[in-house]
Amino acid sequence: GDALARIAAPAAPVAADFKFVTGAYPNQLNGIVIRGRFAFVPNTGTSPNGPTRFDVNTHSLLSVIDRTSRTDAGKTINMHRAVAAQTNPAKRFITQPWAIAFKNRADDGYVVSAASNIVVKVKIDPATGAATVQNDPTDTTRVLELATGKNPRGIVVNSADTKAYVMNYVSRDVTVIDLTGTVERVVATLSSAPVPARGTPEDTIHIGKELYHTSIGEFDPAVAGGPAIVGRMSNNGWGSCSSCHPFGLTDNAVWIFGAGPRRTIPQHVDFISGDPTSQRALNWSAIFDEEEDFELNIRGASGGKGLIVTADGDTPEPTVAAFTPANAGRRQLKVRGVNAWDAIRAYQVSGIRAPISPVSKTDPDVVAGRTLFTQSNCQNCHGGAQWSSSKARATAPPDPSLLSATQLLAELRNVGTFNAATANEVRNTAAPSLGAAGFNPPSLLSLFAFAQTFFHNGSVDTLDAVMQNVAHRSAGTGTDRLQGSNERRQLIQFLLSIDAATPPIAPNAPGDLRSVSAASFAGSSVAPESIVSAFGSALATGAEATPTANLPVILAGSTLSLRDSAGVLRLAPLFYVGPGQINYLVPAATAPGAVTATVYSASGTTASGTVQVANVAPGTFFLPPGNVAAATAIRVTPDGSQLAVVVYLCTVSSGGVAACSAAPIDLGNDRVFLTLYGTGLRRRTSLDNVRCTIGGVATEVLFAGPQGGFVGLDQMNVEVPGSLRGRGEAPIILTVDGQTTNPVTINVR
């Protein structure tokens, strides 16, 4: 397939489907060596176009530069192809070529593969710079691969061309290779620094670092005394976490993934350093809530078997998905007795350091830029120690109400950075990409180290271009405070200064939120499945109501979450949002007790308050300016005929304000039945426990329960007692399971 050309790959491709040319560009240039008139640069070739497939995503390139012409020599090779072409089925691909060294008196070079823990040999043509990966002279069915320690990153050849020395970053040792024989061979491993003591927290972090940077993986046997489990991180060693996250950070590439074009996020921002409880929602579209969800990347993007296993301790667990079931804590492969995913997570929590900015915190432009940052309320989306508002707020698996289109909706902010018509806005399946609901606010921590390829799709390449987006720079206040180029320059200078030593700027404190029954606008509690009105300020950037009974959980970019007494977080379905009021439905499963309601607006402002949830919290709808019953009625004549009865009359002033009064109801010699509307009573224990008085006279309640035509609306059917003839205004009071509703009135003639 070809995602950018909108050509989807078949679900089950056959050989004939593999017909598209894959392009790749040199990336992760970590070493360069000069040999004669040529310079050689091993690097990871990035191929970001979909489909996402292990042998498409990245490639093992050796680039050649002609020093005379100062141009590409046109002799780049893909070293993976040599492994792919070997006849021996036991393959280990040359993933993340990191460094290279040459003999002094021969055209032999040695390339270090950091992720695959090997060194491979190349021969070059000194006239053209062309390089060829060499096979093993003792076994021509395979490429010559010399095993090193873990995560090799450097190599030197001695002056006599007799030895090569390989620096192994993770195993903290040096591999010595004898170059004098018919075939090169490893002759020694020299420790260069001690590794953490087994069983310590540092050991767990170190195991995670090992797994993060390997395309192979070496794991404990499934049963005691059995063989070690090897090679679960990717397909034959073609891919590792560090293939896209070198040093745990970012390759600055924009990949066409399952959600759309996504610039690699550096993982030093997944947690506040050392705090495992501080995790962000993950990925640009908040499609993961656990680090262990990246098991899907190991299996999908890297083609590996993964680390989550069944009861036999070896077979890959077939049921793995984002969100449900939760993936943390599941049965995993182990390394030295430590769960593999637990170790990777520990490394991400404590082992990936935030790069240190060279920009002075006392630079006058930095100081001025920090003030502009706070004045523009940038901290609402990019504040706190993580420099992002994003959080994984719910215990996995999250309640389904939090999710829409596989996204944690409450974490998304729409600030004008998505345009569906952009050329690369496509998923790896060639379908339209996610983005209309907004994106997970990226962290600004150590932004200077990644100062290009901005926004989720890399649509701009400088911070100045980022600041040209007026909707984005105005999102915090609704007012553009950055119209001047000097102000934008100062803000950018502050952004470039942010690192772990920068005092965080806390998001604005949440405003107050008061939740009451939408029927009575009073009372101290609300009920599950009832309609609630919440009042506060800056609750939404605009007003929007839903015209459908299928209520959304996001309107005008605002969401309202409820964390109940059982600790479960849910998003509430919304009827209406406006700057000062939000009407919502209490989810049916909300546990009774104190519930925290929190509003997140599109501008990043929040408001929060506590409301009590009870099994019943009855309220009756009324009409202003008094408490006129918002009711309907029918008259039943002695012959059984039914006629509608007017219960209230409303007039509209020239200013558009309605004023309602109770219309006189003439009982005559007929029976009049009244239907009252409310909310919060449908969970009453029994109809016998629902009582009603009209004008102080008890009357039978014929029905009390869901109205059926409108979500959350309840109705109560009662007969108006004939003894009330001539009473005039009469208050109606209902009592449901001992809870009394607000009084409403009718007028009986």
Side-chain angles (χ1 to χ4, degrees):
D2 184 338
L4 290 174
R6 273 57 176 178
I7 301 172
V14 297
D17 295 316
F18 292 87
K19 59 191 177 185
F20 293 89
V21 174
T22 298
Y25 65 88
N27 201 18
Q28 298 188 44
L29 282 63
N30 295 301
I32 184 168
V33 168
I34 291 171
R35 174 72 181 173
R37 62 178 254 233
F38 298 101
F40 296 84
V41 184
N43 61 85
T44 297
T46 298
S47 181
N49 188 11
T52 304
R53 181 181 162 88
F54 76 97
D55 54 359
V56 172
N57 304 331
T58 61
H59 299 273
S60 180
L61 302 186
L62 181 60
S63 297
V64 186
I65 300 168
D66 188 323
R67 296 171 56 221
T68 303
S69 62
R70 299 190 178 188
T71 60
D72 189 316
K75 298 298 180 181
T76 296
I77 62 169
N78 184 346
M79 293 183 287
H80 274 341
R81 290 192 173 186
V83 179
Q86 73 179 35
T87 56
N88 193 316
K91 301 179 189 294
R92 181 174 292 195
F93 287 98
I94 309 164
T95 299
Q96 271 193 297
W98 198 277
I100 185 172
F102 281 96
K103 285 184 174 179
N104 299 282
R105 289 177 292 277
D107 296 320
D108 297 338
Y110 300 91
V111 178
V112 167
S113 171
S116 301
N117 301 338
I118 55 174
V119 168
V120 296
K121 182 179 180 179
V122 296
K123 278 190 175 293
I124 63 165
D125 181 336
T128 66
T132 307
V133 177
Q134 299 299 291
N135 281 351
D136 186 341
T138 64
D139 181 1
T140 56
T141 68
R142 59 182 292 274
V143 167
L144 175 62
E145 296 181 343
L146 303 165
T148 66
K150 293 168 182 174
N151 197 221
R153 293 191 183 181
I155 183 169
V156 294
V157 174
N158 67 5
S159 59
D161 287 349
T162 59
K163 295 288 192 300
Y165 301 88
V166 181
M167 182 275 284
N168 304 307
Y169 175 64
V170 168
S171 55
R172 301 183 184 178
D173 52 27
V174 174
T175 301
V176 184
I177 302 173
D178 184 350
L179 307 180
T180 61
T182 303
V183 60
E184 292 82 352
R185 62 189 181 93
V186 173
V187 293
T189 300
L190 310 175
S191 176
S192 59
V195 296
R198 185 165 180 169
T200 62
E202 292 77 16
D203 182 42
T204 298
I205 295 169
H206 199 71
I207 292 169
K209 188 175 189 176
E210 171 187 325
L211 294 174
Y212 192 96
H213 290 91
T214 183
S215 62
I216 307 298
E218 300 175 20
F219 304 92
D220 298 348
V223 295
I229 299 171
V230 178
R232 299 292 286 263
M233 298 302 292
S234 67
N235 189 319
N236 289 308
W238 195 323
S240 67
C241 303
S242 58
S243 291
C244 295
H245 297 276
F247 307 103
L249 302 173
T250 175
D251 60 4
N252 270 334
V254 177
W255 298 90
I256 307 297
F257 279 140
R262 300 293 182 262
R263 186 255 204 185
T264 307
I265 297 173
Q267 292 202 275
H268 73 292
V269 300
D270 286 4
F271 299 87
I272 298 170
S273 181
D275 181 1
T277 67
S278 64
Q279 185 193 294
R280 300 175 67 242
L282 301 171
N283 286 344
W284 280 95
S285 291
I287 58 172
F288 289 163
D289 64 340
E290 303 173 287
E291 293 290 351
E292 292 80 358
D293 291 342
F294 287 98
E295 172 85 1
L296 298 168
N297 288 52
I298 292 176
R299 299 186 184 197
S302 296
K305 291 184 177 180
L307 311 179
I308 298 176
V309 295
T310 60
D312 67 8
D314 186 4
T315 304
E317 168 58 56
T319 308
V320 176
F323 300 120
T324 304
N327 290 317
R330 301 181 76 175
R331 186 177 288 103
Q332 308 165 24
L333 297 178
K334 298 178 184 293
V335 177
R336 301 195 293 277
V338 177
N339 282 337
W341 266 116
D342 293 353
I344 293 173
R345 191 174 191 274
Y347 170 64
Q348 292 167 327
V349 170
S350 301
I352 304 176
R353 301 175 183 174
I356 300 171
S357 173
V359 179
S360 170
K361 308 294 186 290
T362 59
D363 182 315
D365 283 336
V366 169
V367 175
R370 184 181 178 102
T371 299
L372 289 165
F373 186 93
T374 56
Q375 289 175 343
S376 298
N377 282 339
C378 300
Q379 66 272 16
N380 284 348
C381 289
H382 299 288
Q386 221 153 353
W387 296 91
S388 170
S389 63
S390 172
K391 297 293 178 190
R393 303 174 197 275
T395 302
D399 186 82
S401 68
L402 298 174
L403 304 173
S404 178
T406 70
Q407 300 173 272
L408 289 166
L409 271 182
E411 305 311 316
L412 305 182
R413 300 289 178 267
N414 192 337
V415 292
T417 59
F418 176 71
N419 180 356
T422 303
N424 71 344
E425 286 294 353
V426 62
R427 303 191 197 207
N428 58 11
T429 58
S433 61
L434 293 176
F439 294 96
N440 196 20
S443 172
L444 302 178
L445 183 61
S446 300
L447 185 66
F448 79 94
F450 324 107
Q452 59 181 18
T453 320
F454 293 105
F455 296 148
H456 69 283
N457 64 347
S459 57
V460 300
D461 216 39
T462 66
L463 282 172
D464 185 62
V466 169
M467 292 301 162
Q468 299 303 316
N469 186 311
V470 177
H472 183 202
R473 72 192 194 207
S474 306
T477 62
T479 302
D480 184 6
R481 299 173 180 266
L482 298 167
Q483 296 182 36
S485 60
N486 189 53
E487 286 80 1
R488 294 195 296 272
R489 181 186 61 80
Q490 290 174 324
L491 178 58
I492 289 170
Q493 193 69 358
F494 169 64
L495 299 179
L496 293 174
S497 75
I498 295 172
D499 59 18
T502 304
I505 301 175
N508 295 335
D512 292 330
L513 188 71
R514 183 174 68 93
S515 293
V516 294
S517 167
S520 65
F521 289 149
S524 59
S525 62
V526 297
E529 300 181 271
S530 70
I531 306 171
V532 178
S533 291
F535 298 94
S537 60
L539 304 180
T541 56
E544 186 176 349
T546 178
T548 174
N550 186 20
L551 300 178
V553 293
I554 183 168
L555 276 176
S558 292
T559 61
L560 188 148
S561 65
L562 297 173
R563 190 179 296 278
D564 68 15
S565 59
V568 178
L569 186 71
R570 298 179 178 87
L571 285 185
L574 303 176
F575 297 93
Y576 165 84
V577 301
Q581 177 178 345
I582 290 184
N583 292 346
Y584 65 92
L585 183 76
V586 180
T590 304
V595 172
T596 300
T598 305
V599 172
Y600 298 92
S601 77
S603 67
T605 60
T606 62
S608 187
T610 301
V611 61
Q612 290 291 323
V613 170
N615 197 49
V616 293
T620 307
F621 283 100
F622 63 91
L623 298 169
N627 55 351
V628 177
T632 59
I634 58 170
R635 179 189 306 281
V636 180
T637 62
D639 64 3
S641 300
Q642 296 185 13
L643 300 171
V645 176
V646 176
V647 180
Y648 56 85
L649 297 170
C650 296
T651 59
V652 180
S653 69
S654 58
V657 178
C660 301
S661 59
I665 300 173
D666 187 356
L667 298 181
N669 296 317
D670 305 322
R671 301 177 71 185
V672 174
F673 295 90
L674 193 66
T675 297
L676 300 162
Y677 298 97
T679 194
L681 62 85
R682 63 182 59 192
R683 296 193 173 196
R684 72 323 184 257
T685 52
S686 70
L687 191 60
D688 291 339
N689 289 328
V690 182
R691 296 180 173 82
C692 177
T693 62
I694 304 179
V697 178
T699 184
E700 181 183 6
V701 178
L702 305 172
F703 174 82
Q707 184 266 342
F710 192 88
V711 179
L713 186 65
D714 297 330
Q715 74 178 55
M716 296 73 71
N717 297 345
V718 298
E719 183 175 358
V720 180
S723 62
L724 294 178
R725 289 183 181 88
R727 173 66 65 89
E729 288 196 353
I732 302 174
I733 298 176
L734 285 120
T735 303
V736 182
D737 287 354
Q739 302 296 314
T740 301
T741 66
N742 54 301
V744 295
T745 61
I746 59 173
N747 188 347
V748 183
R749 188 165 64 190

